[in-house]
Amino acid sequence: MTERAYFDWNATAPLRQEAREAMSAALGLTGNASSVHSEGRAARKAIEQARVQVAALVGAEPKNVTFTSGATEANMLALTPALEAGLAKAPRDRLFVSGVEHPSVRSGGRFAAGQVEVLNVDSDGVVDLAALRVALAKAERPLVSVMLANNETGVIQPIAAIAGIVHAANGLLHVDAVQGAGRIDCDMAALGADLLSLSSHKLGGPQGAGALVRRDGIHVTAPLITGGGQERNLRAGTENVAAIAGFGAAAEAANLSRQADAGRMAALRDRFEVALAARTPSAVIFGQNVTRLPNTSLFAVPGLKAETAIISFDLNGIAVSSGAACSSGKVQTSAVLAAMAADADLARGAVRVSLGWTTTEAEIELLLTAWMRVASSLLKGQELKGARAA
Ligand code: PMP
């Protein structure tokens, strides 16, 4: 069997050992976290420990962490007119989202379609700050949602600068930090975020858990799911204790190893990109001129089709994806690359390579060997340099 290497960490990461152990322990608990008996209190304790661990990852107060089924739900919970900030209790009158947001943000959450406006990004996928200032003048109490880092390109947004502009315009800022958390610094105060979404499975926890984190004094007054009083009346339903415990353990582990992992991943990613460019001079790497996550590389080569490239990579033992792999496995033209005004033919061929904390040099070599095979079979007639295309 072909040796396999996984390069799709932005879609989902493997479960960390710490998360597996925490989940296994939590699965052994019987109590409902809302019950007052000692079984219930044990389940409660596991949830509250996870709340502390998740809060620490983003420098927040544990009481401001609301567990959800994932970042999609956290985004839906956050994007509502029903937000209060201290004494400012009037509903938000307009939502502004960047053109490169995840579909769960671009959908506009719980705002009416007519209240949602898309913010322009430049050709590197970075929010245009001058355009942001102009756009915000149209609202009295805006809510702005800009991601920390993009899932397709890895491009990092200037969140602190955006926060300054948003707050000066009487606005609140929501940050989808799913791809940044555990990879780059994600301190809420340093970012200036009022609300922040996290997903467990991108940082080594289980799928189906996430959180919305609020700055002190920010309140969501309209829950998305009503019923019981769980999560301080903000998210009804008996908690998924094992998933939450696994999320907490993963957040703590990610926090501890973040800096070392980032340095290693960046070196490996850069090595891949240098070799890719040397062997395939026509390759274009998106967002290469701006600050990106240490683990992500989105590239395209004229004439390459993402669907066939991904299948060919897979047959050669390599898991990669096209830009967005979030839904049904369908390869669609990337909305992110469209927002960046990338050439449509080139964008159709974009392949995303994303690394993680266990990625090795040997795996990068496997990736490069596979690329030469993929390229030599799919890019007939194009010049490939360096390594022999076996
Ligand atoms: N935001 C971003 C930037 C993402 O990459 C993803 C996952 N693809 C989500 C939100 C949704 O997260 P979840 O899978 O936890 O719903």
Side-chain angles (χ1 to χ4, degrees):
M1 209 184 96
T2 327
E3 208 180 334
R4 290 198 63 85
Y6 185 74
F7 285 99
D8 201 10
W9 293 66
N10 286 12
T12 201
L15 197 64
R16 290 181 191 261
Q17 185 56 26
E18 293 87 342
R20 191 181 298 270
E21 284 166 17
M23 291 179 77
S24 176
L27 286 169
L29 300 172
T30 301
N32 183 317
S34 300
S35 303
V36 293
H37 45 62
S38 60
E39 287 84 352
R41 291 202 309 276
R44 167 63 46 209
K45 194 171 160 203
I47 294 174
E48 296 315 316
Q49 184 187 341
R51 207 183 303 282
V52 170
Q53 291 166 317
V54 169
L57 180 66
V58 297
E61 300 244 7
K63 70 172 168 38
N64 293 331
V65 173
T66 303
F67 288 116
T68 62
S69 66
T72 297
E73 185 189 328
N75 287 341
M76 289 299 294
L77 181 59
L79 301 184
T80 172
L83 293 176
E84 289 182 2
L87 295 175
K89 299 198 186 302
R92 297 285 121 192
D93 59 345
R94 209 160 174 78
L95 173 67
F96 297 87
V97 304
S98 91
V100 293
E101 294 302 306
H102 186 264
S104 58
V105 168
R106 245 183 300 131
S107 72
R110 292 182 281 162
F111 281 80
Q115 285 181 297
V116 183
E117 191 165 324
V118 176
L119 297 165
N120 284 341
V121 296
D122 65 18
S123 60
D124 288 314
V126 177
V127 169
D128 180 335
L129 300 186
L132 172 66
R133 271 191 206 93
V134 173
L136 292 185
K138 291 180 220 156
E140 277 175 39
R141 294 174 304 280
L143 174 63
V144 176
S145 184
V146 178
M147 67 204 327
L148 178 52
N150 187 262
N151 43 309
E152 297 184 31
T153 59
V155 167
I156 297 172
Q157 298 291 345
I159 295 294
I162 290 171
I165 295 169
V166 169
H167 292 149
N170 199 27
L172 294 178
L173 177 65
H174 166 256
V175 175
D176 175 340
V178 165
Q179 297 289 348
R183 295 183 178 142
I184 56 172
D185 188 21
C186 197
D187 182 78
M188 271 185 91
L191 292 171
D194 299 298
L195 297 141
L196 183 138
S197 298
L198 295 172
S199 176
S200 152
H201 70 107
K202 310 286 180 172
L203 40 83
Q207 297 171 347
L212 178 65
V213 191
R214 288 167 289 114
R215 180 168 65 74
D216 227 18
I218 304 287
H219 296 286
V220 179
T221 56
L224 191 57
I225 301 174
T226 52
Q230 291 90 351
E231 294 296 284
R232 295 171 200 262
N233 291 316
L234 207 46
R235 206 282 184 170
T238 302
E239 300 87 341
N240 185 347
V241 183
I244 290 171
F247 178 20
E252 184 174 274
N255 212 5
L256 284 173
S257 65
R258 177 175 67 76
Q259 276 173 335
D261 290 341
R264 212 174 35 247
M265 290 191 298
L268 292 173
R269 191 271 313 270
D270 291 350
R271 178 172 164 164
F272 164 69
E273 290 188 345
V274 167
L276 174 77
R279 295 174 192 190
T280 331
S282 57
V284 173
I285 296 168
F286 296 99
Q288 206 179 13
N289 305 321
V290 291
T291 323
R292 283 181 297 158
L293 290 174
N295 79 315
T296 307
S297 184
L298 181 71
F299 72 94
V301 177
L304 190 72
K305 291 258 174 306
E307 302 93 303
T308 40
I310 287 157
I311 293 166
S312 178
F313 265 117
D314 190 43
L315 294 173
N316 282 289
I318 301 290
V320 291
S321 75
S322 64
C326 270
S327 54
S328 51
K330 270 189 299 188
V331 180
Q332 291 163 334
T333 314
S334 156
V336 171
L337 292 178
M340 291 163 63
D343 176 83
D345 281 336
L346 192 63
R348 257 192 288 285
V351 172
R352 180 183 69 186
V353 168
S354 52
L355 288 60
W357 54 88
T358 65
T359 304
T360 60
E361 249 177 75
E363 288 179 322
I364 296 291
E365 287 311 315
L366 286 177
L367 172 65
L368 287 166
T369 305
W371 168 242
M372 292 316 280
R373 293 202 177 117
V374 171
S376 65
S377 69
L378 300 181
L379 293 172
K380 294 210 170 61
Q382 281 204 37
E383 196 190 359
L384 300 174
K385 292 191 174 165
R388 196 164 52 86

